[in-house]
Amino acid sequence: MPEHGDDRGRVARGYGRLLGYTRRFWPVLAAAIIGMLIEAFAAGAFTWMMQPLIDGTFVERDPNVLRWMPFAVVGLFLLRGIGVFLAGYGMAYVGRRVVETLRGETFAHLLRLPVGYYAGENSARLVARLTFNAELVADASAESLKVIITDTLLVVAMVVVMLMQSVRMTLTLAFLMPMVAVVVWFAGRRFRNISQRMLGTVSEATRVAGEALAGLDAVKVYGGEQAAEERYRILSARRRRLHLKGSAAKSLSTTLVQLSAAIALAILIYIAGREAAEGTMTAGAFTSMMVAMAAMLPSLKRITSVQDTMQKGLTAAESLFDILDTAPEPDDGGAAPLAICGRIEYRQVSLRYDGANHEALADIDLLAEPGTITAIVGRSGSGKTSLIRLLPRLLEPGQGQVLLDGRPLADYGLAQLRQQIAWVSQSVVLFDDTVAANIAFGALADASPQAIEAAARAANALEFIQALPDGFQTRVGEVGSLLSGGQRQRLAIARAILKDAPILILDEATSALDTESERQIQDALAHVMRNRTTFVIAHRLSTIEHADQVLVMDAGRIVERGRHDQLLAADGLYAGLYRMQFSRGT
Ligand SMILES: Nc1ncnc2c1ncn2[C@@H]1O[C@H](COP(=O)(O)OP(=O)(O)OP(=O)(O)O)[C@@H](O)[C@H]1O
Ligand SMILES: [Mg+2]
């Protein structure tokens, strides 16, 4: 099947890529492999030693053997211990380093992906992917590699021991073992088939009973009881028959497997007996062979079952590779001048989120001159936040263009563009760090304490910060859980004031504040807004009466625009929103 071939190719590529990560730690990997070689050698040597041990002590009663044997046994196990440690620690080291590298790379890449990537993927799931999948990858890359190499070496060592003891018996065994394996597989297959069919009847019987009981009214009114009863009875009987077939198959297969193993053993003993009669096989050699055979079986089993772990790890690795292979945000601008005035223009911009069936923004045209305030109002979900998220290129428009100083945004480098924008977002996120570090966030990290304090004062935050146990050095706790909504908002405003950028965006920046604090911040913001291009989104219309232009949005479109009093006079949507506010008394 071609599909299967494709799948194989993909798996091989995935594994190759994973091995690429382990290759970076090749000296440790080499040490681990040496450890595995030692381990296999020691195991093989011990198994071989069974022959002189048994023949020397029990058969020939040679006192010499008694003298060296204890040392040899302890020595071999000491050697084996060294090998086991090297292999175990080395592979664990490589595995952990692979996880660490892969996790680090994936996280770094996630930070550079377009925000749109997260729209379809919930962030908790991404974090889980990052945490758990990397663990599975460690199993696949290190554990299964260890199993494959160690167990293969062990099997080889055992085969060598067997060949050393008797070539004829080894060849016989090589011939018999596949036959026993085929019998085991064959016997198991019939049982697996029956189990599969058994599952089918369970779900069908459940469905029949469920349907009849759920639709009991109809069953009764239309007289369907007998038909339902009959169907259920037939399914139960089929299930019983399958069950019994399964039991029969199971006991039959156990018998079959044991019988074939017994036949194989009988053949082996027969040949060993003939060799013993000829004088080429001793009791010790026979024991040594049997021990080698027994030691081989678990290894063979592990080698065949390691596929499962590998498959899981590969699937996990692929989900991480998927992230790594997703193109980062396009950032090939940089041709534009560094100093900007802040004139912003939207031309026929529309936007549709992935998977959404309607446009979040449609036919947006707007012009914001430097030094002016543009207020955006509209019902929840009308597209206000979406509109301004286009500015720092957190989103890319589907159609149309956004221009800064007459140039498309893509002409600017991403970092350069974002430097020009201070943003107080609708939901303030604080990081588990000090208050000062949360104000001087990211690229602002080297701001002076004086500047931070001045920004906090302007944001009306100084008072509450100074009341905190360690002032500016207080840690705000995970995601700022120690602060109230209004306090968090004031920190975010301080952050924006400190950034002192030519474009200022306030998305419901004061929604969590009481009227008194809001008025104080309004004053500070009015001061900050001077000489900047400002966008203000607000539900409270009182905060936008002084805007140079008001855009009224509805269902992704700008439906009204003008100054506050013009819009009131026009008596449209804005006037309606305004009146509603006052009737609610806010
Ligand atoms: N990440 C997203 N993925 C898909 N759809 C989104 C996403 N963000 C917003 N939307 C949809 O886009 C539309 C506009 O949302 P937007 O956040 O811009 O509204 P808003 O005017 O800011 O609302 P609010 O006043 O409640 O903040 C809504 O229909 C919303 O469901
Ligand atoms: Mg919003």
Side-chain angles (χ1 to χ4, degrees):
M1 275 182 289
E3 242 178 43
H4 212 74
D6 268 11
D7 223 42
R8 285 250 172 88
R10 210 170 43 94
V11 167
R13 272 196 305 283
Y15 205 65
R17 190 162 170 186
L18 207 55
L19 282 183
Y21 282 88
T22 52
R23 251 201 306 278
R24 298 180 197 179
F25 311 104
W26 68 266
V28 184
L29 202 61
I33 291 176
I34 290 174
M36 294 175 195
L37 278 169
I38 294 176
E39 190 183 339
F41 169 79
F46 180 73
T47 312
W48 173 84
M49 229 167 62
M50 288 284 148
Q51 185 248 317
L53 186 137
I54 290 182
D55 289 343
T57 49
F58 298 108
V59 183
E60 293 153 19
R61 311 218 170 127
D62 179 355
N64 252 340
V65 173
L66 273 185
R67 234 165 277 138
W68 62 259
M69 186 58 65
F71 296 104
V73 170
V74 174
L76 273 181
F77 272 87
L78 197 66
L79 192 65
R80 186 171 183 181
I82 293 171
V84 168
F85 177 80
L86 270 181
Y89 186 80
M91 289 316 276
Y93 176 88
V94 172
R96 293 329 298 178
R97 290 297 297 256
V98 167
V99 175
E100 185 189 336
T101 314
L102 202 57
R103 245 187 217 150
E105 275 182 16
T106 311
F107 182 60
H109 197 79
L110 278 174
L111 291 177
R112 279 164 194 78
L113 285 182
V115 174
Y117 182 82
Y118 301 98
E121 188 116 16
N122 116 1
S123 63
R125 225 182 8 245
L126 271 178
V127 172
R129 211 156 133 184
L130 201 61
T131 317
F132 301 120
N133 285 11
E135 293 298 325
L136 291 176
V137 170
D139 288 349
S141 64
E143 272 310 307
S144 49
L145 204 62
K146 185 175 155 206
V147 166
I148 291 171
I149 302 178
T150 312
D151 285 316
T152 309
L153 286 174
L154 212 72
V155 169
V156 170
M158 293 307 159
V159 169
V160 168
V161 169
M162 288 160 90
L163 282 172
M164 281 165 71
Q165 302 296 9
S166 158
V167 176
R168 194 168 356 146
M169 261 183 78
T170 309
L171 289 181
T172 316
L173 204 62
F175 176 73
L176 287 174
M177 257 178 40
M179 295 212 316
V180 175
V182 167
V183 171
V184 169
W185 176 78
F186 193 76
R189 194 185 59 165
R190 178 154 170 76
F191 181 66
R192 277 193 298 274
N193 270 343
I194 292 171
S195 312
Q196 208 66 44
R197 271 158 58 201
M198 220 138 69
L199 281 180
T201 56
V202 176
S203 58
E204 211 177 333
T206 313
R207 186 179 55 78
V208 166
E211 260 173 23
L213 295 179
L216 201 53
D217 286 2
V219 169
K220 280 181 191 294
V221 172
Y222 289 94
E225 293 98 331
Q226 256 188 358
E229 219 181 300
E230 182 67 13
R231 272 207 293 170
Y232 194 73
R233 208 180 49 72
I234 292 176
L235 285 172
S236 295
R238 192 188 299 163
R239 189 162 146 65
R240 181 226 331 132
R241 278 197 300 275
L242 278 175
H243 238 297
L244 292 179
K245 255 192 202 168
S247 296
K250 199 171 177 182
S251 35
L252 218 67
S253 76
T254 312
T255 314
L256 212 62
V257 167
Q258 286 177 350
L259 198 66
S260 61
I263 293 174
L265 193 66
I267 296 176
L268 278 178
I269 292 176
Y270 177 76
I271 292 178
R274 295 242 334 239
E275 289 205 345
E278 289 165 13
T280 48
M281 164 81 62
T282 62
F286 184 72
T287 313
S288 166
M289 283 212 77
M290 289 295 126
V291 171
M293 196 171 75
M296 224 156 93
L297 289 180
S299 287
L300 286 175
K301 215 168 169 176
R302 268 199 298 271
I303 291 175
T304 47
S305 66
V306 75
Q307 274 211 344
D308 198 44
T309 333
M310 239 163 82
Q311 194 56 52
K312 269 193 211 131
L314 276 181
T315 315
E318 262 162 35
S319 87
L320 295 183
F321 291 153
D322 271 355
I323 296 177
L324 283 174
D325 292 341
T326 308
E329 295 177 287
D331 183 15
D332 33 40
L338 287 173
I340 65 152
C341 321
R343 181 175 189 273
I344 287 162
E345 193 180 351
Y346 281 54
R347 283 193 196 148
Q348 281 298 302
V349 168
S350 66
L351 172 81
R352 184 194 290 260
Y353 285 100
D354 281 344
N357 51 13
H358 62 92
E359 294 192 306
L361 293 174
D363 304 329
I364 301 290
D365 277 304
L366 75 87
L367 179 64
E369 293 288 355
T372 64
I373 299 173
T374 302
I376 308 172
V377 298
R379 279 192 273 263
S380 180
S382 56
K384 306 180 296 291
T385 302
S386 305
L387 179 76
I388 49 163
R389 287 179 84 203
L390 291 167
L391 266 183
R393 288 180 70 197
L394 296 175
L395 296 172
E396 298 285 340
Q399 264 139 42
Q401 257 188 333
V402 183
L403 302 122
L404 173 58
D405 289 359
R407 283 168 170 276
L409 290 184
D411 281 6
Y412 298 86
L414 270 184
Q416 182 203 352
L417 172 68
R418 289 170 184 171
Q419 247 165 39
Q420 315 300 327
I421 300 172
W423 173 293
V424 181
S425 67
Q426 201 165 6
S427 47
V428 176
V429 175
L430 298 177
F431 297 85
D432 186 11
D433 206 334
T434 62
V435 169
N438 267 290
I439 295 177
F441 180 66
L444 304 172
D446 46 12
S448 71
Q450 291 78 19
I452 295 174
E453 194 177 318
R457 183 178 294 116
N460 196 17
L462 197 56
E463 200 179 319
F464 89 81
I465 292 173
Q466 280 169 345
L468 290 171
D470 295 319
F472 278 92
Q473 297 310 316
T474 312
R475 294 186 78 88
V476 297
E478 211 165 309
V479 290
S481 51
L482 302 183
L483 299 174
S484 75
Q487 290 170 334
R488 293 151 59 113
Q489 231 166 25
R490 279 179 276 173
L491 285 192
I493 292 171
R495 197 188 272 171
I497 291 174
L498 182 66
K499 186 159 180 183
D500 189 26
I503 301 168
L504 177 65
I505 297 172
L506 304 169
D507 191 351
E508 312 266 356
T510 53
S511 61
L513 300 183
D514 56 278
T515 325
E516 172 63 22
S517 316
E518 186 179 7
R519 194 170 29 247
Q520 285 173 5
I521 292 182
Q522 286 299 333
D523 293 345
L525 286 177
H527 181 72
V528 176
M529 285 174 197
R530 228 168 279 150
N531 307 322
R532 280 169 223 280
T533 317
T534 308
F535 288 85
V536 188
I537 298 177
H539 282 308
R540 283 190 228 185
L541 299 179
S542 58
T543 62
I544 44 162
E545 280 166 355
H546 306 297
D548 296 280
Q549 62 173 339
V550 179
L551 308 175
V552 185
M553 295 198 63
D554 192 38
R557 292 172 188 275
I558 299 178
V559 291
E560 288 173 27
R561 65 178 83 207
R563 292 185 60 92
H564 170 70
D565 32 8
Q566 293 168 340
L567 289 174
L568 275 189
D571 200 22
L573 188 60
Y574 182 80
L577 287 171
Y578 190 74
R579 274 197 300 273
M580 227 146 63
Q581 282 256 316
F582 280 100
S583 67
R584 257 196 266 121
T586 39

